[in-house]
Amino acid sequence: MHFHALKLFVACAAIAAGSFPALAADPILVPVLTPLTGAIADLGQDTKKSVAIAVEQINAAGGINGRPLVVELVDTQGRPDIARRETERVMNTKKGAVVLGCDGSAGTSVAAQVAEQAGVVYMNSGAVSEEFFQRGYTWYFSDQVTGTDEAGAAIGLVEHLFRSRNPAPRVAFLYEDSPRGTGTTQLLKDMAAKKGIPVAATLSYNRAERNMLPLITKLRESGATVVVWTNYLEDTVAGLSAMRDLGYFPYVIGVGNGAGHARLPTLISPEVMQKVRLSVVDYFNTDLPRASAFVAAYSKRYGVPPSGYASLCYRGIHTLKEALTIASRGGAAVTPASVKAALMTLDIPGDKTIAPYRFIKFDKTGRNLGTQSIVQQWRDNGTKKVTIWPLDVANSKPDALP
Amino acid sequence: MSLELLLQSTLSGLLMGAMYALISIPLAMSFGVMRVLNFAHGELLMCAMYGAVLLNKHFGMGPYTTILVLAPAMGLVGFALFHGLIKPLLKSSMLMQAQFTLGLSFVIQSAALLIFGADLFNIRSPVGVAVLTVAGIAISVPLIIGLAVSMSICGALAWVLLKTEWGYRVRATAQDPAMALMCGIPVPRIHAAIFAGGTAILGIAAGCLMAFFHVTPHVGVQFSLLSLLIVVLGGLGDLKGTFYAGLLIGLTESLASALFNSAATPAAVYILFGVVLLFRPKGLFGRGSVA
């Protein structure tokens, strides 16, 4: 009786002191902010699928120092107002040390701000905007590529294609007028100007646009033979259909998930994809040996290979798993400070990730210094994508300009 | 702007506008006769578009063949929807109708997301990629078919409403339902037929759309907003106005896209909308309701 009373007293005292160590079986909760519904719901739905696999794999391998990893998917609808409300709700009700964001730039922009104010680590695995690094945030980390990485890869390929071509071919930039499209295209224009690449036209369009024929006619009239196109899936399908209708087949390099989407060959004739030598700047390649286990697990469960979107949070969860393993070592309580300190010490070799990165290592601004974008090209009637750029990681040569 | 670009934009804009008109006509009908502004209109169209995808996937039906199944099926859906949900709302305020149908649109959208996921679906068919090229101008065959179907349906509707006894009854119901009832017109049956018929037309529109367009759970909202814009621009309840407003919106979108570089398209459409309503508050032909 006295023994039980003593145990109860010790437990109460420890709780009161706020220093009660986590039990070995206490789960570690990571809220995942992602657009499960709304205009970019395909990002959230793919995230949902890959997160389920990641969590199962981590827990099957013993969890995080024996503690199970639990995620809670939080729907931001890709909208800043909803992202703010949901991030605040998660901060207030879950009291977690870290949140993972697999959202577009609009949602990430406010969610990262809310996390910063709350002093909680925000790990971004989705948005590519550079601007977040310039805000002076101390709790923001991103293992995702940036717009600069993407623009660098696209312009690198354009420069390669232009080499020894006389007269120089004409390049045009085409983009949806979202912050993502506008920001990436500005970077592309700046890089093209620095490299002396002649630009025939810069054209934008609204997401609500349903008739792409006038826009593609304008593009054709500019005389562009290479089009660098920042796009999503809907506009990719509509734009390629318009190119087919007009019989205009420039060399198309897509930036964003549209041109590389796994389902694209079922939505548009592979012949058209072949004619425009459809290429895509991406952050994931199913052909990478390091991604094979993930690709196999995903394909087995869902019957289709994972999209680039699906790779984001899978990678992000594994990055966080490494940090949480360090932070919770020896049964230590997982706090925002301990997770942040762990992230700062991380140095994950490239071949331990599913991304084509050199490594994952964060600088003081939270930027991953080891990111690398690649360019893939659709081949064999849309049955596969091969990596064509940069040449040192490419497994095939880019198709030449016509 | 080159002549080729101008012609291309004008033609594709008008053809697209005819499709918009076809989609918007049922909304104009239900408002004109019942004074119900159905905010779930686009979602009903979306359901039919998913239906076309399923029929194509499981039975190999082409987009236009699916109309044979979709039109009667959607008619039945409309009939059930009218008796289950819309009829009780007829005597409610317009605000309540709007709230209710908005809620319905969210329910349908969420259901589509649960059933089909967020993936984009389309139907690939030989006719979908057929193009006529005249003097360098590409004319999409599915859009020409869309124009023909749109004009046929609008023409048939006009004939029924203006030349048949049933049409007189519909017009009488639209003008004064209480008086129509006293004259022995079965107003509830007219209402049900109009809603079911309108929903059946959405089945036809879905078949035509799926020949060249795609469906996602988000597409319904876009078409709801577009249809509302067209119906208001044409004059609430005015079918002729709705048809021409559809053409005008399609043309404006297309020319704005050709003339300006970028986000100007939605702005141009709403500027046109504002200007027209400023001078014609009852719609293009001044015959619509200002309700």
Side-chain angles (χ1 to χ4, degrees), chain A residues 32-35 43-44 47 51 100-104 108 122-127 312-314:
Chain A
V32 177
L33 303 170
T34 194
L43 164 58
T47 293
V51 161
L100 176 61
C102 295
D103 204 346
T108 304
Y122 186 94
M123 167 60 76
N124 164 55
S125 286
L312 297 176
C313 253
Y314 183 89

Side-chain angles (χ1 to χ4, degrees), chain A residues 177 204 220-221 263 265 267, chain B residues 2 4 120 122 124 262-263:
Chain A
D177 60 357
S204 67
R220 184 177 65 176
E221 287 189 349
R263 290 188 61 249
L267 301 168
Chain B
S2 70
E4 191 182 332
L120 180 151
N122 65 4
R124 281 168 54 192
S262 98

Side-chain angles (χ1 to χ4, degrees), chain A residues 162-176:
Chain A
F162 278 23
R163 199 161 292 153
S164 75
R165 301 283 297 200
N166 197 13
R170 293 164 72 84
V171 65
F173 297 120
L174 181 64
Y175 64 100
E176 194 215 54

